[in-house]
Amino acid sequence: MGFPPLVHLPQDRQGLPLGAVLSAGQRHEAAFFTDLMNEVSVPRPRGRPRKRPEAIAGDRAYDADWIRQWCADKGIESAIPVRENMRDGPGRPPTCDDRKYRDRNTVERCVGHLKERRRLVIRYEKKASHYKAMILWAFVEEYLNR
């Protein structure tokens, strides 16, 4: 039996999803970070959407030097806490803005809203492309309900 797919969701501060990336359940989340950031489309009142957010709040799974460097190269502020007992060697460990990290709970709430849809929880669609289509359909419902 295979692993259930992981759904990676970038969101804005209000909890509206900005995209989705599916991955195999046994793969680590950080491996799909750049794919996830390529899905981001931040809407604006006028003009085309931005492709880069101002800041990123991720959990400890995204604590990797290459992710922090990618964010710094793109001019994105990262609020990712440091994993415990993982920093060895010289230098100061990276800091995390607690105020921005506190907003990360909107991701958990959005996942909770998605789990209210039985079709996504039971996963009637076995093909990944069909399952992602159902996730995007749930996003449309979220946008219309706000």
Side-chain angles (χ1 to χ4, degrees):
M1 180 165 205
F3 289 93
L6 283 177
V7 180
H8 308 275
L9 299 172
Q11 296 177 337
D12 65 358
R13 185 169 274 170
Q14 285 76 33
L16 290 175
L18 301 174
V21 172
L22 292 180
S23 67
Q26 71 270 24
R27 295 287 311 272
H28 195 274
E29 294 177 29
F32 298 95
F33 179 76
T34 54
D35 296 336
L36 187 63
M37 289 292 100
N38 290 335
E39 288 283 318
V40 171
S41 179
V42 181
R44 291 193 232 188
R46 289 179 15 152
R48 67 179 190 192
R50 286 192 342 246
K51 295 301 285 180
R52 288 188 204 147
E54 294 174 6
I56 294 173
D59 60 2
R60 293 182 201 277
Y62 292 102
D63 178 30
D65 292 333
W66 69 270
I67 291 177
R68 292 181 194 279
Q69 187 61 45
W70 186 91
C71 291
D73 292 344
K74 304 283 185 188
I76 300 171
E77 184 180 345
S78 63
I80 302 170
V82 178
R83 288 182 284 173
E84 296 175 12
N85 301 326
M86 293 300 290
R87 296 287 172 182
D88 293 334
R92 184 181 319 175
T95 60
C96 176
D97 186 3
D98 291 335
R99 223 175 316 136
K100 288 189 178 173
Y101 182 72
R102 209 174 307 144
D103 291 336
R104 205 187 68 76
N105 69 31
T106 58
V107 175
E108 306 303 331
R109 285 186 283 162
C110 182
V111 170
H113 289 300
L114 289 177
K115 286 184 178 180
E116 292 175 1
R117 290 158 178 86
R118 184 175 178 195
R119 183 171 208 107
L120 296 178
V121 173
I122 295 179
R123 193 170 177 227
Y124 290 120
E125 290 77 20
K126 296 305 174 193
K127 285 184 74 173
S129 60
H130 295 178
Y131 185 63
K132 186 173 180 181
M134 288 296 114
I135 290 172
L136 296 177
W137 185 256
F139 289 176
V140 170
E141 289 179 20
E142 283 292 319
Y143 274 95
L144 292 176
N145 286 336
R146 302 233 179 170

